[in-house]
Amino acid sequence: MLIELHDIFPQAPIYTLFYDKQFVRQWLPSADIRASFLQKIPFITKLYPLFGWLMPTAIESFDLSDFDKVLSSSVSFSKGLVLKPSTKHICYCYSPSRSLWDRHADYARDNSLSWPALIYQHLLRLWDRAASDRVDQYVAISKAVQARISKYYRRDSTIIYPPVKKLVETLNPKRELAQVHLLQPMDKPSRLGAWREGEHVDKNLPQEQVYYRSSLGFKVATNFYLIISRLYKYKNIDIAIEAFNKLDYPLVIIGDGPDKDRLKRLAGDSITFLGEQDDSTLAEYYCACRAFVMPQEEDFGLTPVEAMSFGKPVVALRKGGALETIIEGQTGEFFDDPIPEALADAVRRLNDNYVSYNPEFIKAHASHFSAEEFKKAIKKLVEEPAA
């Protein structure tokens, strides 16, 4: 998101609490980065959770008196900027901090917060609510976030959907994939197999079901389902694992996180964990999968839209941003309850209707959430004359 905003306004300085120097060198080499005093703390990019109590002071310490308009990108703290009365503050809000508001009880329970930590959480919630009044105009990433802004901050907001990467452009043009086979109905997807060159390949696997990734030097059976997610408990990956264990369908899980070991213990033979992967590898798996699975509620949900940009249907929980990005029966299927049985039923419905999914329609739908659309909307918003 920050990279896209910098592309729109390359001359605008970027104020941040702290930053990772390697990230800046790779993605924002020409940007004017101005960090708070927190940047002086050794190893701040790793130790930042210990310094949350300083962050309200750090964000309020910025002197932005030379600017007529400020665009903040906020989850927690940047809405708290203290500006001149004549300076317009536009806040692009990903969500009111969920650990303080709608998920505060879950956060306290999952992290076994002590009573001093609960008091700190309460005080931070009071600051967050007060700071929310400093914003002149809110922009939400989805209707779900818009509803939270209204409930917790008592403010109206407009919606500008976040930009989705064009991962399809990173694909190796020499890849070999029989797309026609992926449109055929099937009683049961083929088992997943991944093989290094020179190792055993299942001779019974039809050739058109083998996807050769020449850039990485191994093959993957098509007709697998795909999850790309951070591995946290609230992401409901365990629900998907239980469902696919029972279905005995191949499932590939890409991503890492603190719940990884527990999830691996739950997974059966048809489930493969691949850890973190780069964008070009993600593109290859999006291209080769049969469908994408999102078992959790997301504020918007970038990964299902990325999957749709490759023409792949999505199985998603009927909550949050998925309601705005997925058209039931045309770009995917929903399930209503976060339980394995409901997810498994949605997968069966998707298989039954698979021939009715039009990859070109799915791609066209995903294009509504492109970086180009985002940039046009943001420029129009910022360039509007002050009321």
Side-chain angles (χ1 to χ4, degrees):
M1 177 66 68
L2 179 59
I3 297 169
E4 296 291 348
L5 291 174
H6 177 63
D7 285 344
I8 302 171
F9 309 108
Q11 303 304 317
I14 298 172
Y15 288 80
T16 182
L17 292 175
F18 56 90
Y19 63 89
D20 182 279
K21 293 180 180 179
Q22 182 177 348
F23 175 86
V24 168
R25 280 195 299 269
Q26 181 176 358
W27 298 107
L28 298 166
S30 62
D32 179 5
I33 308 291
R34 306 179 186 182
S36 75
F37 61 81
L38 293 177
Q39 187 67 29
K40 298 178 182 179
I41 298 175
F43 309 109
I44 184 61
T45 56
K46 294 182 179 179
L47 299 179
Y48 68 89
L50 301 176
F51 296 96
W53 57 281
L54 279 175
M55 292 182 186
T57 302
I59 203 71
E60 292 173 351
S61 71
F62 285 128
D63 179 7
L64 302 180
S65 57
D66 291 336
F67 301 99
D68 297 321
K69 291 183 180 180
V70 172
L71 176 61
S72 66
S73 176
S74 178
V75 174
S76 299
F77 296 104
S78 64
K79 72 175 75 67
L81 291 164
V82 180
L83 305 172
K84 294 188 306 181
S86 59
T87 301
K88 183 176 182 179
H89 182 180
I90 302 170
C91 177
Y92 190 75
C93 183
Y94 305 106
S95 178
S97 182
R98 306 200 69 179
S99 63
L100 298 180
W101 297 103
D102 61 315
R103 284 184 176 164
H104 76 96
D106 295 337
Y107 180 81
R109 181 182 61 252
D110 292 345
N111 292 277
S112 302
L113 296 186
S114 61
W115 66 264
L118 291 172
I119 293 175
Y120 166 70
Q121 184 188 43
H122 173 68
L123 294 174
L124 192 56
R125 182 161 48 246
L126 293 177
W127 178 88
D128 186 77
R129 179 61 185 85
S132 70
D133 288 337
R134 302 173 191 173
V135 173
D136 296 297
Q137 184 174 1
Y138 275 101
V139 182
I141 66 171
S142 66
K143 292 179 182 177
V145 170
Q146 185 181 56
R148 289 186 213 131
I149 292 172
S150 176
K151 180 174 179 61
Y152 299 122
Y153 296 161
R154 306 298 182 189
R155 299 291 299 276
D156 293 331
S157 60
T158 56
I159 296 173
I160 297 178
Y161 293 119
V164 178
K165 293 180 182 178
K166 285 187 175 179
L167 291 180
V168 69
E169 295 177 353
T170 69
L171 281 172
N172 186 331
K174 295 181 180 179
R175 69 192 183 282
E176 299 169 11
L177 178 61
Q179 292 279 9
V180 64
H181 179 78
L182 300 181
L183 301 179
Q184 300 304 311
M186 58 191 302
D187 296 327
K188 179 178 177 180
S190 61
R191 277 205 173 256
L192 171 71
W195 310 276
R196 293 289 173 184
E197 286 300 305
E199 294 184 3
H200 173 71
V201 176
D202 186 352
K203 301 298 185 182
N204 296 318
L205 188 65
Q207 185 62 37
E208 65 269 24
Q209 287 184 249
V210 175
Y211 176 62
Y212 179 57
R213 301 178 60 244
S214 57
S215 60
L216 297 182
F218 63 91
K219 300 177 181 179
V220 177
T222 58
N223 286 326
F224 63 89
Y225 293 81
L226 179 64
I227 289 176
I228 297 176
S229 174
R230 292 174 296 162
L231 304 184
Y232 287 84
K233 286 190 71 174
Y234 71 89
K235 294 290 188 177
N236 293 344
I237 306 300
D238 52 349
I239 293 170
I241 288 174
E242 289 186 49
F244 279 84
N245 281 342
K246 294 176 181 178
L247 291 168
D248 198 27
Y249 287 178
L251 174 67
V252 173
I253 299 174
I254 295 177
D256 206 349
D259 206 27
K260 177 179 66 175
D261 292 339
R262 182 183 74 91
L263 294 173
K264 282 188 171 183
R265 289 193 295 269
L266 294 175
D269 294 339
S270 65
I271 298 172
T272 301
F273 289 81
L274 297 180
E276 294 285 353
Q277 300 291 335
D278 60 25
D279 283 352
S280 61
T281 305
L282 295 182
E284 300 278 5
Y285 278 94
Y286 277 130
C287 188
C289 74
R290 177 174 177 81
F292 188 82
V293 179
M294 188 175 75
Q296 73 273 20
E297 177 187 356
E298 292 287 359
D299 300 329
F300 174 73
L302 290 172
T303 51
V305 181
E306 288 176 355
M308 288 189 287
S309 73
F310 288 84
K312 305 299 177 166
V314 177
V315 175
L317 182 65
R318 196 191 299 270
K319 284 187 177 181
L323 296 172
E324 300 166 63
T325 60
I326 298 168
I327 304 173
E328 190 167 23
Q330 297 183 63
T331 69
E333 299 289 344
F334 288 115
F335 60 101
D336 295 319
D337 300 307
I339 57 176
E341 294 79 8
L343 195 159
D345 179 67
V347 172
R348 293 189 190 98
R349 281 186 277 115
L350 181 138
N351 281 337
D352 290 343
N353 299 324
Y354 202 79
V355 293
S356 66
Y357 289 106
N358 183 333
E360 295 307 315
F361 175 84
I362 296 174
K363 291 177 185 179
H365 177 65
S367 69
H368 296 308
F369 308 100
S370 67
E372 290 76 16
E373 293 296 324
F374 171 78
K375 289 178 179 180
K376 284 193 295 185
I378 288 291
K379 285 190 71 174
K380 181 180 178 181
L381 175 74
V382 172
E383 291 172 358
E384 285 179 350

